[in-house]
Every structure is written in structure tokens, then in C-alpha cells.
Amino acid sequence: VEPPQQIYGYVRYTDLAAPPVLVLLNFSATAVEAAVETPPEFPDLFQAATLRDLLTDEVLTIQTASPVRISLPPLGARILV
């Protein structure tokens, strides 16, 4: 995840049969755009053109080419499926 000094991200999963969850945390006091590379262990993570934020129920339209760009609010988080 870029920029590394402001954003922390990881993929959370229970098993390979359940869809993984992408967690992004913004430690900056300003809104940022995260550039997320597709993890090799989860090649299908960004196959859909949309992701749903479980915290806000917002649906995000994404470009499926890596790196995927995702906006984050100041001092905010997204939990995406």
C-alpha cells in the first residue's frame, strides 16, 4: 500500500472458500488515496468493478488494474469486500 508512512493495509480471511476482506487504515489528518497492489495470494481480490465498505455500506467503483486506487477519509478506515 502506498504511501506507506500514512496508510496501513492488510487482507483478512478465514479460509480460502470465504471471500477475503481488505482493511485499509489512514493515519493521516488529511484524506489520501491508497494505491493497493493485488496480493499474489489473492489474485481475485479486485476482479469485481465494485467493493463494498462494511463500515459505511458505501459501494466503491474501482479500476480492476493493479494498483487499485482507493480514497480514504482523514484518520479513517475502510473494510472492503
Side-chain angles (χ1 to χ4, degrees):
V1 177
E2 295 291 333
Q5 68 273 25
Q6 300 173 340
I7 302 170
Y8 182 74
Y10 60 93
V11 176
R12 179 80 178 181
Y13 64 98
T14 55
D15 60 46
L16 294 178
V21 175
L22 175 63
V23 178
L24 296 172
L25 307 169
N26 178 12
F27 294 103
S28 172
T30 60
V32 295
E33 185 175 83
V36 183
E37 294 286 343
T38 303
E41 300 85 359
F42 301 98
D44 296 333
L45 185 63
F46 300 127
Q47 290 301 310
T50 60
L51 293 172
R52 187 169 54 91
D53 187 335
L54 296 178
L55 293 175
T56 64
D57 208 35
E58 179 182 1
V59 176
L60 305 175
T61 301
I62 62 165
Q63 180 179 353
T64 57
S66 191
V68 173
R69 303 212 176 269
I70 299 171
S71 63
L72 291 163
L75 301 171
R78 290 200 184 268
I79 300 176
L80 301 168
V81 293

